[in-house]
Amino acid sequence: MSSKIHILKSDIANKIAAGEVVQRPSSAVKELVENSLDAGAQSISVVIKDAGKVLIQVIDDGEGMSPEDALLAFRRHATSKIATAEDLENIRTLGFRGEALASMGSVAQVEMKTRMSQQDVGTLVRVEGDEVKENSVTSCERGTVISVKNLFFNTPARRNFLKSQQTERKNVTDVVTRMALAYPEVGWKYISDDETILDLRPKGIEDRLKDVVGVKQFGQLLRVDERTDFLTLQGFIGRPDFVRKNRVDQYLYLNRRFIVNRAINHAVFQAYEHLLIKGTFPFFVLNLTVDPRTVDVNVHPSKMEVKFGNESQVYRFVLSVIKRTLAQHDLVPSMTVEGGIGAAGPEARLQFGGMPGGQREVNWAGEGMTIPGQSDVEELFQRARPEPGAGSFTPIFQPTAERIIPQGQKSEAGEGPGEGRAIWQIHNKYILSQVKTGLMIVDQHVAHERILYEKVLANFENNLASSQQLLFPQTITLTPNDYVLVQDLLPHLEAIGFVLKPFGKNTVVIDGIPADVRVGSERKILEDVLDEFRNNEHQSTIDARDNLAKSFACKAAIKAGDRLKTHEMISLIDQLFLTSMPYVCPHGRPVVVKVSIEELDRRFGRT
Ligand code: ADP
Ligand code: MG
């Protein structure tokens, strides 16, 4: 019988293997930059076009390669970094698997120019789909330039698998940011579609942090520096009040290699116990230095996962160092890990809300309250309503809101009921209003969120956004990530009513803001919206516009705690019932609850 098994031809095998190392533009960038760092580069430039799909170019001033090595470098399992099995146990370079260049050569058109300092001329090698297309002498600077063009040109499935331009570009930006933080002594340039996103001179870590993470946040960081014979932990952690709503600003390195490790993350998180509000995450940039012999970095081709010889020891070390750092700054109530120290912390206070007292309230609401029916809404909304549609929404805080105060009403601002309509605000949070069948309670924040959400969606359709020109345009400096995001979202942000000008060097000039945003909060709103956008991006597959609409609605909406004037409350309720779904906010929370007269009567024993 003939055999059904055969050995794959090398070009197919290589394509398969390539997929593990080079999954997307950002992984190619990571591999190339690692090579430059291993070659001792002092200055590295990363240039991408079209999020790296069209071009990825990495230029370094490292040691370069000889003509022979330049060819060998593209062979699979060709490496100068390890030679023996023992070497694999003791890895001191970022690369060691000898597959990155081979992989790129099989799924892209790669051109390399390289020269060692002792050579007069350099070498040019061009590889495409695993074949060497050119190998010649060239003139070039000392160092290496590698250009990866049309990634996955011959593996369409892979190419189609790539995410949106915006996502791929963000991934590349993340890779460069991570590397730049780990190697502050190296100068970095990062250029995307001819725009310089990063231009960082060699510096100390503090300055690098300022450049990359943003100056204004620096004062909120605490330095970590603990050295022992076996383990060293250095870097910065955020003060507990400098928290993020997601994990994007957590940079963990092992021997200056960016890694993903749940155990260490957990140790850091645990050290902040009782200092963080639920759903928030600490900022940190930490480098753990260990003897390479005590850790295995060869767990996955991407080299981002590691296995510690003694993970629990590392865990305890990180936990205690971070706890101590926080304690030194008087930020921890007590040093003991177990025990009732939490009572004084903010978390303990938070918990009271969910304890038996609060519970009863929830039950009460559940029993006695119902979602109102349409007739109640009709009653609430008795006045002539404008035609539903994009243009009919009026900003809650605009002077124009006066327009829709009922005729003859000259109500003063305040908590009392508006003339002709019984309406109150309680605890600067809920709006109470009488309806025919009882009492209606509206959560002001989620109500406004629903209004803004639908308004933004309508703006996207009709381009009817109204913005208010700022008297004094604001110039703000964003983190590189936020800056890239602003550029990606620019048309959508404009559709909402922002008038923004990216100014290079991560600065943006705000000339105008949506009519719904209070003047003075423009900077915060923009930053919050970007934050929220990113937050949502991680957890769901919603498209960018919907995400932006939700993020903006959430951040621009009036908050619990905002005191409203009567006409603002009326305007809010009116606009709420012009929306397509007044009863639920874009995130699915209820907006309106009703207590019926029957229920009130029952409770007062009037039955
Ligand atoms: P690895 O980095 O795992 O060794 P690569 O495929 O990434 O494998 O690179 C193969 C070899 O090519 C490296 O071991 C190194 O000797 C050489 N090389 C790659 N890039 C550079 C560079 N930028 N400068 C100098 N040498 C390089
Ligand atoms: Mg490599």
Side-chain angles (χ1 to χ4, degrees):
M1 262 226 286
S2 73
S3 166
K4 65 175 181 183
I5 297 177
H6 53 263
I7 307 290
L8 288 174
K9 287 215 191 86
S10 70
D11 61 327
I12 304 180
N14 287 351
K15 273 192 192 175
I16 292 171
E20 291 178 30
V21 192
V22 180
Q23 292 164 328
R24 45 184 11 102
S26 61
S27 34
V29 169
K30 173 176 169 290
E31 292 294 332
L32 293 172
V33 167
E34 285 185 350
N35 282 346
S36 299
L37 289 167
D38 282 344
Q42 292 304 300
S43 137
I44 299 175
S45 299
V46 178
V47 179
I48 59 167
K49 290 232 153 72
D50 245 354
K53 293 178 197 170
V54 169
L55 173 74
I56 296 166
Q57 188 176 53
V58 174
I59 306 164
D60 71 50
D61 61 355
E63 63 184 8
M65 280 167 268
S66 69
E68 299 76 35
D69 281 347
L71 260 188
L72 269 178
F74 284 97
R75 301 271 294 275
R76 194 157 292 277
H77 311 305
T79 180
S80 57
K81 298 169 194 176
I82 57 170
T84 64
E86 288 87 75
D87 293 343
L88 194 54
E89 309 285 311
N90 186 9
I91 288 165
R92 291 168 191 273
T93 47
L94 292 164
F96 57 87
R97 298 173 57 100
E99 358 174 71
L101 288 184
S103 297
M104 286 176 230
S106 69
V107 294
Q109 296 150 346
V110 184
E111 187 188 277
M112 175 162 88
K113 286 185 182 179
T114 185
R115 182 169 74 80
M116 301 175 81
S117 57
Q118 63 270 37
Q119 295 174 313
D120 297 327
V121 289
T123 310
L124 182 144
V125 177
R126 216 154 52 71
V127 176
E128 182 174 322
D130 253 345
E131 274 177 54
V132 178
K133 298 277 186 183
E134 191 179 342
N135 179 15
S136 57
V137 168
T138 189
S139 73
C140 60
E141 299 277 300
R142 180 204 127 129
T144 305
V145 180
I146 299 187
S147 311
V148 178
K149 293 177 192 160
N150 302 318
L151 189 62
F152 303 133
F153 78 104
N154 56 355
T155 48
R158 275 260 159 209
R159 203 177 166 85
N160 293 338
F161 181 71
L162 292 180
K163 301 231 172 73
S164 72
Q165 200 81 348
Q166 180 199 330
T167 306
E168 296 297 348
R169 198 147 76 110
K170 182 185 165 297
N171 287 337
V172 175
T173 308
D174 284 346
V175 164
V176 179
T177 309
R178 288 167 190 167
M179 293 284 197
L181 274 178
Y183 288 84
E185 76 278 25
V186 171
W188 295 85
K189 238 192 180 137
Y190 170 42
I191 299 168
S192 163
D193 292 324
D194 295 325
E195 180 166 9
T196 303
I197 308 285
L198 289 176
D199 187 357
L200 307 170
R201 319 186 145 270
K203 274 181 176 169
I205 177 66
E206 295 197 11
D207 287 317
R208 181 55 55 86
L209 258 173
K210 281 183 196 165
D211 289 342
V212 176
V213 182
V215 179
K216 65 178 192 301
Q217 297 163 351
F218 194 74
Q220 291 167 297
L221 303 184
L222 307 173
R223 182 187 269 284
V224 176
D225 193 354
E226 179 79 20
R227 301 164 207 224
T228 73
D229 288 347
F230 310 101
L231 293 164
T232 291
L233 187 66
Q234 291 164 301
F236 293 86
I237 58 174
R239 286 176 176 272
D241 52 353
F242 176 48
V243 293
R244 318 294 277 162
K245 295 218 192 64
N246 52 44
R247 298 172 194 270
V248 288
D249 280 334
Q250 303 192 334
Y251 300 91
L252 179 63
Y253 302 88
L254 174 85
N255 296 343
R256 301 225 271 176
R257 178 197 304 280
F258 181 86
I259 58 162
V260 174
N261 185 286
R262 289 180 58 151
I264 300 181
N265 269 18
H266 189 268
V268 176
F269 198 74
Q270 193 64 30
Y272 277 84
E273 206 195 8
H274 304 301
L275 294 172
L276 295 176
I277 292 169
K278 216 173 156 218
T280 63
F281 301 93
F283 170 95
F284 61 81
V285 179
L286 291 170
N287 180 43
L288 191 62
T289 308
V290 306
D291 182 335
R293 278 171 290 226
T294 64
V295 61
D296 183 5
V297 290
N298 189 24
V299 180
H300 185 269
S302 70
K303 300 168 288 183
M304 280 216 284
E305 265 172 65
V306 299
K307 267 209 167 69
F308 291 102
N310 189 342
E311 186 168 275
S312 64
Q313 185 195 13
V314 177
Y315 182 95
R316 285 196 307 273
F317 175 72
V318 173
L319 176 67
S320 69
V321 172
I322 302 298
K323 260 188 181 289
R324 199 160 344 128
T325 306
L326 290 167
Q328 274 161 5
H329 294 83
D330 244 359
L331 297 167
V332 186
S334 154
M335 279 292 290
T336 29
V337 186
E338 305 92 355
I341 54 165
E347 194 177 52
R349 278 202 302 282
L350 281 175
Q351 273 172 358
F352 288 128
M355 293 211 309
Q359 193 65 35
R360 256 198 316 279
E361 264 177 25
V362 172
N363 279 340
W364 181 79
E367 276 168 27
M369 297 191 174
T370 50
I371 296 291
Q374 189 60 30
S375 60
D376 301 312
V377 176
E378 291 298 327
E379 187 198 340
L380 240 192
F381 181 58
Q382 327 140 330
R383 280 167 296 106
R385 47 174 109 182
E387 277 304 301
S392 63
F393 291 107
T394 315
I396 305 286
F397 292 111
Q398 284 294 292
T400 47
E402 308 286 351
R403 266 195 297 120
I404 57 169
I405 294 178
Q407 285 291 313
Q409 180 179 329
K410 291 276 173 285
S411 160
E412 290 296 303
E415 282 201 310
E419 211 182 309
R421 188 177 334 177
I423 193 160
W424 299 266
Q425 184 186 33
I426 58 164
H427 293 271
N428 293 337
K429 189 159 44 170
Y430 296 112
I431 298 171
L432 266 51
S433 188
Q434 175 187 323
V435 289
K436 207 186 297 159
T437 53
L439 169 69
M440 186 166 311
I441 308 171
V442 174
D443 181 327
Q444 63 186 41
H445 169 70
V446 287
H448 199 197
E449 213 177 331
R450 163 56 65 186
I451 295 165
L452 292 178
Y453 173 67
E454 295 207 3
K455 186 170 169 180
V456 167
L457 292 185
N459 284 342
F460 284 150
E461 295 309 320
N462 314 331
N463 264 323
L464 281 173
S466 52
S467 42
Q468 29 181 346
Q469 202 71 20
L470 291 183
L471 210 49
F472 305 104
Q474 287 249 6
T475 305
I476 61 170
T477 305
L478 300 169
T479 61
N481 275 335
D482 278 354
Y483 185 68
V484 170
L485 189 58
V486 164
Q487 287 181 312
D488 285 326
L489 296 177
L490 197 57
H492 302 323
L493 287 166
E494 280 169 354
I496 296 180
F498 281 103
V499 185
L500 301 173
K501 269 198 259 74
F503 229 63
K505 293 229 163 78
N506 300 320
T507 57
V508 173
V509 177
I510 310 181
D511 278 328
I513 52 176
D516 301 285
V517 173
R518 279 183 166 167
V519 176
S521 62
E522 50 276 346
R523 176 204 195 99
K524 186 165 187 320
I525 291 277
L526 183 62
E527 283 174 351
D528 285 352
V529 168
L530 296 174
D531 239 20
E532 179 75 4
F533 182 90
R534 201 164 281 138
N535 230 352
N536 297 343
E537 210 184 18
H538 283 287
Q539 32 156 284
S540 67
T541 52
I542 54 175
D543 76 7
R545 287 206 317 188
D546 195 46
N547 185 356
L548 186 60
K550 286 199 171 105
S551 304
F552 176 76
C554 174
K555 294 305 173 184
I558 49 173
K559 304 262 174 308
D562 287 347
R563 196 187 169 97
L564 299 184
K565 297 185 175 136
T566 303
H567 73 263
E568 289 169 339
M569 286 190 269
I570 293 173
S571 170
L572 184 78
I573 301 284
D574 287 347
Q575 293 185 44
L576 174 65
F577 289 107
L578 276 179
T579 64
S580 64
M581 291 173 74
Y583 304 116
V584 277
C585 86
H587 301 104
R589 271 162 61 194
V591 176
V592 182
V593 287
K594 204 201 79 184
V595 190
S596 66
I597 280 288
E598 289 83 352
E599 171 64 13
L600 288 172
D601 286 347
R602 198 176 59 74
R603 287 188 171 261
F604 285 105
R606 279 183 175 273
T607 37

